[in-house]
Amino acid sequence: MMQDTPLSQLIKRLSRLPGLGPRSAQRAALHLLRHRDTQMMQLAMELEQVARQYKSCNTCGNLDLHDICSICSDNRRDAKRICVLEDIADLWAMERAGIFSGHYHILGGTLNALDGIGPEDLGISKLITRIEQVTSSLATPQQLEIILATSATVDGQTTAHYIAERLKSMPVQISRLAHGVPVGGEVNYLDDGTLAQAMKARTRL
Amino acid sequence: MMQDTPLSQLIKRLSRLPGLGPRSAQRAALHLLRHRDTQMMQLAMELEQVARQYKSCNTCGNLDLHDICSICSDNRRDAKRICVLEDIADLWAMERAGIFSGHYHILGGTLNALDGIGPEDLGISKLITRIEQVTSSLATPQQLEIILATSATVDGQTTAHYIAERLKSMPVQISRLAHGVPVGGEVNYLDDGTLAQAMKARTRL
């Protein structure tokens, strides 16, 4: 086995990516080396470009080529709706689905006492400052809706509850995503929690 | 969803790596962007370096910084043993185990009629030329041992049989890896094929 060669260092770095282990990093490196000119050089260039060009949006935490991202600066979007998400991948999922035309706020994670992630790590004061700024610019601040769209996991729900608690005194509407049977889901495969929520929130036909 | 931005292109390229799908490529890209300075720039640099510096060894097909690889040019290694492997990852596994001190020959795959991979794609004539060269330099060509260490899959075994057939007329010894119970393996979990081979090749205590 090659010790501390450039190739072994590359494999070590690839193996630190989420979703890749030592074996798959080896396979990926060999695959790249087999396509040195068409793939590997391109990948190197693209990585370098993206690392250099992309910035975190100061307002919402999205990643974009500009400091105020294309979503925050888009006048056609509804500034009276802010959807609070855990991660940028969640934002991509929302945009892919094309179901929301408001603004976003990326927390960058969830509250987790074990991992030592507290409200300050998620920039929740920044979210509150942002909400204050938006409400002060509105004639009727009650128009502003904050949609808490964290995951339906224990950590995600804890985070949503914490934020809802912090926003209680503010003159805004707070909502969360509905729970229920996922589209295409079979009832007999659903967990009890989902089933209970789906029953509780049943709608009249 | 971002259409055709540098980031979406990077994700598309990452998703083509073996072991990564579209979702894990997204996660990997976000992970890299979160560690832009410590990880992403380094990865770009290392990829570019490895792509530029590494060459295929003209003799055995190994990848190394030099055209004749460090294994082929190592005088301490036994030139009278050539271990034929499918892939460079197999060479790494051999070297990691430290169980073989001869030379290698990388086929770069296996024969596969469905995928249209024939003997010429694996450079089998190159292997034969190499064997002829080695035998002509030996006082007794019978000293040269060719170890067929392709995988114990259908394709791997087909390839080994094909090579053995091609080498039959040459004055060399041909061997293959033993089949049997893997170390740590439980008999009641073994497949019939392995069990049959292990029984057939049983050794006297």
Side-chain angles (χ1 to χ4, degrees):
Chain A
M1 181 62 181
M2 347 125 297
Q3 297 287 324
D4 269 345
T5 59
L7 183 54
S8 67
Q9 274 168 31
L10 171 63
I11 291 172
K12 213 181 283 169
R13 196 174 295 278
L14 283 174
S15 72
R16 276 193 229 116
L17 291 179
L20 283 178
R23 286 295 155 106
S24 42
Q26 262 190 18
R27 277 205 303 150
L30 282 175
H31 170 89
L32 284 169
L33 271 163
R34 268 186 226 110
H35 307 87
R36 228 166 300 188
D37 302 318
T38 56
Q39 292 282 321
M40 202 165 181
M41 282 296 199
Q42 295 292 329
L43 179 57
M45 221 182 56
E46 288 174 6
L47 279 167
E48 199 260 332
Q49 268 182 11
V50 168
R52 212 159 19 80
Q53 296 176 345
Y54 273 75
K55 293 155 188 64
S56 273
C57 174
N58 248 331
T59 308
C60 73
N62 187 15
L63 281 164
D64 206 341
L65 294 165
H66 310 286
D67 197 342
I68 291 181
C69 76
S70 57
I71 292 175
C72 284
S73 59
D74 186 346
N75 289 325
R76 288 164 305 174
R77 297 189 75 114
D78 185 358
K80 294 193 296 298
R81 284 197 176 76
I82 297 176
C83 179
V84 178
L85 295 168
E86 288 176 22
D87 202 84
I88 291 161
D90 301 337
L91 184 155
W92 292 345
M94 288 289 221
E95 289 294 293
R96 208 163 37 224
I99 46 149
F100 181 69
S101 62
H103 288 189
Y104 294 101
H105 195 94
I106 311 291
L107 298 171
T110 51
L111 295 175
N112 189 314
L114 281 177
D115 294 346
I117 298 172
E120 64 287 353
D121 298 303
L122 305 181
I124 287 174
S125 345
K126 210 180 140 196
L127 170 63
I128 288 170
T129 312
R130 181 179 174 192
I131 292 171
E132 282 168 353
Q133 279 169 356
V134 177
T135 49
S136 69
S137 73
L138 292 174
T140 43
Q142 289 79 0
Q143 286 181 308
L144 180 62
E145 181 182 2
I146 308 295
I147 301 152
L148 302 174
T150 52
S151 293
T153 57
V154 173
D155 285 350
Q157 294 305 298
T158 307
T159 309
H161 279 128
Y162 176 85
I163 295 174
E165 203 57 39
R166 289 280 297 268
L167 299 184
K168 222 166 52 177
S169 59
M170 302 183 86
V172 292
Q173 292 174 49
I174 304 170
S175 57
R176 67 159 172 78
L177 295 184
H179 290 310
V181 184
V183 176
E186 293 180 43
V187 170
N188 62 338
Y189 286 112
L190 284 180
D191 62 294
D192 296 352
T194 303
L195 216 46
Q197 293 276 2
M199 182 56 81
K200 222 169 90 183
R202 67 189 177 278
T203 53
R204 202 174 269 275
L205 288 179
Chain B
M1 183 62 181
M2 345 126 298
Q3 298 286 326
D4 270 344
T5 59
L7 182 54
S8 67
Q9 274 169 32
L10 171 64
I11 291 173
K12 212 181 283 170
R13 196 174 295 278
L14 283 173
S15 73
R16 276 194 229 113
L17 291 178
L20 282 178
R23 286 296 154 106
S24 42
Q26 261 190 18
R27 277 205 303 150
L30 282 175
H31 170 89
L32 284 168
L33 270 163
R34 268 187 226 109
H35 306 87
R36 228 165 299 190
D37 302 319
T38 56
Q39 292 281 322
M40 202 164 182
M41 283 294 200
Q42 295 292 327
L43 179 57
M45 221 181 56
E46 288 174 6
L47 280 167
E48 198 262 331
Q49 269 182 11
V50 168
R52 212 158 19 80
Q53 296 175 346
Y54 274 74
K55 293 154 187 66
S56 273
C57 174
N58 250 330
T59 308
C60 74
N62 187 14
L63 280 164
D64 207 341
L65 294 165
H66 310 285
D67 196 343
I68 292 180
C69 77
S70 56
I71 292 175
C72 284
S73 60
D74 186 346
N75 289 324
R76 289 163 305 176
R77 297 189 74 114
D78 185 357
K80 293 193 297 300
R81 284 196 177 77
I82 297 176
C83 179
V84 178
L85 296 168
E86 287 175 23
D87 201 85
I88 292 162
D90 302 336
L91 184 155
W92 290 346
M94 288 289 222
E95 289 294 290
R96 209 163 35 225
I99 45 148
F100 180 69
S101 62
H103 287 190
Y104 293 102
H105 196 91
I106 312 291
L107 297 172
T110 51
L111 294 176
N112 188 314
L114 280 177
D115 294 346
I117 300 173
E120 65 287 354
D121 298 302
L122 304 181
I124 287 175
S125 348
K126 211 182 139 194
L127 170 65
I128 289 172
T129 313
R130 181 178 174 193
I131 293 172
E132 283 168 353
Q133 277 169 356
V134 177
T135 49
S136 69
S137 73
L138 292 173
T140 44
Q142 289 78 2
Q143 285 182 308
L144 180 61
E145 182 182 2
I146 308 296
I147 303 153
L148 301 174
T150 52
S151 293
T153 56
V154 173
D155 284 350
Q157 294 304 297
T158 307
T159 309
H161 279 128
Y162 176 86
I163 297 174
E165 204 57 38
R166 289 279 298 267
L167 299 184
K168 225 166 52 178
S169 59
M170 301 183 86
V172 293
Q173 292 174 49
I174 304 169
S175 57
R176 67 158 172 81
L177 295 185
H179 291 309
V181 184
V183 176
E186 293 180 45
V187 169
N188 61 339
Y189 286 112
L190 285 180
D191 62 294
D192 296 353
T194 304
L195 215 49
Q197 292 277 4
M199 181 56 82
K200 221 170 91 183
R202 67 189 179 276
T203 55
R204 203 174 269 276
L205 288 180

